[in-house]
Amino acid sequence: DVTYGWWAGNSRVTNRAGKFIAAHAGHTGLISFAAGASTLWELARFDPSIAMGHQSSIFLAHLASIGIGFDDAGVWTGANVASVAIVHIIASLVYAGGALSHSLLFDGDLADGPGPTTQKFKLEWDNPDNLTFILGHHLIFFGVACIAFVEWARIHGIYDPAIGAVRQVEYNLNLTNIWNHQFDFLAIDNLEDVLGGHAFLAFVEITGGAFHIATKQVGEYTEFKGAGILSAEAVLSFSLAGIG
């Protein structure tokens, strides 16, 4: 039952999972296109003789932090910057295609979706097993993203502000350090611990995701628990940002 007004976010797609997917795919496409186009815009105007902060370089600065566009000594090369931007623009077209498909071609609530697998992702707020199944997939995606970051830093390298250069980082999977830094993560002063936190988080998220997919709702189901179960990924997002 809808208990809030039409002005509330996503109220229009409350019981229409297909339209909900279309809305978010379109939103993701806009973000991806903005990232790619803005990167090309900054690249076309970038002057390596002037500090990035004085050129309002936001996207190039983020790429620099993961070692793209600069060599190991921190000297500007521009390598792969345009490629990353173009990949984002192409991805935005894929997201847009998915958004249009779900908006115009597929069933609005996925009740009559193409196959039983599609129907499993139909949001049913009064069905705890459905919610935990969807949450499990979200957790696995977060875990894979953590692994990608850890492996990128280990194989390619990321920028280390302590030495002012890009270097490869081997993660330090020290569970004691991870436990001690859960509330004072701002005190972390080395990349090895940062990557170790992400490696541990990847394991927890993928394990938890597999558990939620393979099992049903555990414990008594309440309206409060139902409202919170699909917002758990928001908390995990803050965890990712915090440990990083």
Side-chain angles (χ1 to χ4, degrees), residues 191-207:
L191 293 178
E192 282 74 14
D193 285 348
V194 171
L195 273 297
H198 280 81
F200 175 74
L201 195 58
F203 170 78
V204 172
E205 288 173 338
I206 292 177
T207 302

Side-chain angles (χ1 to χ4, degrees), residues 30-217:
L30 288 174
I31 294 173
S32 182
F33 181 82
S38 297
T39 299
L40 291 178
W41 187 88
E42 290 184 4
L43 178 63
R45 292 159 176 77
F46 181 68
D47 183 352
S49 65
I50 303 175
M52 279 188 170
H54 295 167
Q55 302 183 65
S56 300
S57 295
I58 299 175
F59 294 88
L60 291 185
H62 279 291
L63 290 176
S65 69
I66 57 175
I68 296 178
F70 294 81
D71 62 16
D72 293 344
V75 178
W76 169 258
T77 63
N80 299 321
V81 172
S83 298
V84 170
I86 292 172
V87 166
H88 277 77
I89 292 176
I90 294 174
S92 72
L93 299 177
V94 176
Y95 289 127
L100 290 173
S101 296
H102 277 282
S103 179
L104 302 176
L105 302 178
F106 299 149
D107 187 75
D109 65 359
L110 295 185
D112 299 320
T117 302
T118 302
Q119 297 172 17
K120 289 182 179 180
F121 290 93
K122 178 183 182 298
L123 283 173
E124 299 175 358
W125 297 102
D126 57 349
N127 183 348
D129 296 335
N130 165 265
L131 297 181
T132 192
F133 176 81
I134 296 174
L135 173 64
H137 288 81
H138 289 178
L139 289 170
I140 288 178
F141 283 127
F142 276 116
V144 171
C146 281
I147 291 176
F149 176 56
V150 170
E151 289 302 301
W152 175 268
R154 186 179 66 86
I155 298 173
H156 177 272
I158 58 177
Y159 180 77
D160 187 349
I163 63 174
V166 176
R167 69 178 180 90
Q168 294 174 313
V169 182
E170 288 289 342
Y171 61 88
N172 176 27
L173 193 57
N174 187 318
L175 298 182
T176 301
N177 282 349
I178 294 173
W179 176 263
N180 292 336
H181 282 303
Q182 60 181 320
F183 297 113
D184 66 342
F185 49 82
L186 294 178
I188 298 176
D189 59 0
N190 65 90
L191 293 178
E192 282 74 14
D193 285 348
V194 171
L195 273 297
H198 280 81
F200 175 74
L201 195 58
F203 170 78
V204 172
E205 288 173 338
I206 292 177
T207 302
F211 171 81
H212 278 288
I213 292 173
T215 62
K216 295 184 177 182
Q217 171 68 28

